[in-house]
Every structure is written in C-alpha cells, then in structure tokens.
Amino acid sequence: MSKYIVEDARKVTTRRVIEMKRKGEKIAMLTAYDYTMASIIDASGIDIILVGDSASNVMAGNVTTLPITLDQMIYHAKSVVRGVKRALVVADMPFGTYQVNADEAVKNAIRIMKETHADALKLEGGEEILPSIRKILDAGIPIMGHLGLTPQSINKFGTYGVRAKDEAEAAKLCHDARLLQEAGCFALVLEKIPAHLGTKVAESLEIPVIGIGAGGGVDGQVLVCTDMLGMTADFTPRFLRRYADLNSIIGDAVGNYISDVKAKDFPNESEQY
Ligand code: KIV
C-alpha cells in the first residue's frame, strides 16, 4: 500500500466519504477505465475511482460523452473493479440510460451494479431526473450527483464554458444540489463553475461536494486520469494541473524501442531463448 494512504487501509464506503467531510478531510478522486490503471491508482491510495463516461472521449476517441453505450460502460467498470482493493468505485450511467423514465433508469442501474460490482453510480442533472434518482436510491443503489457543466447535455449548452455564472443558473444549481441531498445522494460532483459558488454549495450541504474546476472551497477534487498524467497533450483547461508528462515519456520510450529494433539492438543475447 502507498505512503499516501492516510491511516486507513480499509475499503472506502459511501459512509466513509460523508465522514471524511464531517472531519474536514479532503477527498481525492480520479477516473480510471481499465484494470491496469485502476490497480496503480488504487495502490497509490486514492479515495474514489470514477469510471467516467469520459471513457467515450479518452478511450474511444469520440468528441463527446454521448455515444458511449451501457455495454461499453459495463465493460470499463468491470475491468476497473477487478483492479481495485480499497477505493470506492463509482460508475457513470451513460447518456440515454436514465433520462427516459424512472423504470428504465432503475433497470439499467441494477444491470450495472449486478454485472460490474461497482459500489455506486453517478448521474448528471438535478430536478429533471429526480424521479429516476429516487427510484434508483429506493433500490438500494448509492448515487453521486453531478451538476454544473454536465457533458451529456453539451448539445443543449453549446459550449464547454464555465456554467452558473449568472444568478438564475447559480440559484437553480443551489436548488438542485439541495434536492439531490434531500433525495439521498451520498455525494455531488460540481463541474466548471465559479469557485465562490462551489464553496457556497459545499458549505450549505452535509454530503461531500467534489469539484472539477469548482475551486478549492469544496470537499474534494476529481480529475480525468489521462489529463492529470499528461497523456492528453492538447487538452489545457485552466483547472487542470498536470502531475506527469506521460505523453513525452511514452513517446520517447516508443521512439527508443523503434530505434533499437531498426538497429538490430533489440533483442540482445540475454533477451532471447
Ligand atoms: O466522466 C467523467 O470523467 C466525469 C468527471 C469529469 C467528473 O464525469
């Protein structure tokens, strides 16, 4: 286990993340989409791993998160769960699987939980999807909400710019956040909103608020793993801090391998049978 694990090597639960907020301990969350990355991130001591529908962008190369299917999300979530011992694993419900009606939503939610063994689900939206949220929670499935920039609605927004800058949208976001807490969500992601609004929502709720581009006043942070590891070189939003330059590291390693093969240097005597 990693030196970064603060004291407690037990499996992280939804209860524990609520407790972390109560104690003022910040929550660290990252995305993962496959077994190998999930194993590394989990062993490093992350609190929550999100199997984000950002897999649509960073794994499949789509422009938006909309095309990823339920079967594809289940494949990613199953792979991640196999690599995780400690972190809480949250899986995104993909676009179209919970917006039609509450019955369909709970059917799809149960399918994800049964087939992947994830610990919880994340859904984008507030009041509009409350019937689906209630029904899924009634089935005993924990939900993390997601407000602010909700990428599944990109065609409605028309831009990936900062959300809730005006008073009306900020008021709706605060209203939705409260509704999600009252319905029983165990946590909330706030994406790309003004920092003062992130702080205000986090201070007004008992459940943890995890931000991505929502400032430092929230209860935890989430980043897309390929972004924070510097694999996606041309994605440079202001909120992103890069902790490695894997794009160059991988590029250099591959370049060296190609040179060695071409120069007949690989494999050498000790690398063959
Ligand atoms: O899909 C995703 O990666 C997300 C995070 C950006 C929160 O929803």
Side-chain angles (χ1 to χ4, degrees), residues 29 31 33 50-55 57 65 92 122 124 146 151 189 191 212 222-224:
M29 170 164 145
T31 66
Y33 316 100
L50 171 68
V51 188
D53 60 356
S54 47
N57 309 95
T65 57
D92 262 339
K122 178 165 78 58
E124 294 182 7
H146 184 157
V189 165
E191 181 164 351
I212 174 163
V222 56
L223 287 175
V224 167

Side-chain angles (χ1 to χ4, degrees), residues 138-169:
D138 284 348
I141 300 170
I143 295 182
M144 175 180 273
H146 184 157
L147 298 172
L149 176 65
T150 46
Q152 292 179 12
S153 305
I154 188 59
N155 293 320
K156 185 170 87 179
F157 296 150
T159 157
Y160 284 102
V162 178
R163 304 302 314 175
K165 286 204 284 198
D166 66 67
E167 248 176 63
E169 198 180 332

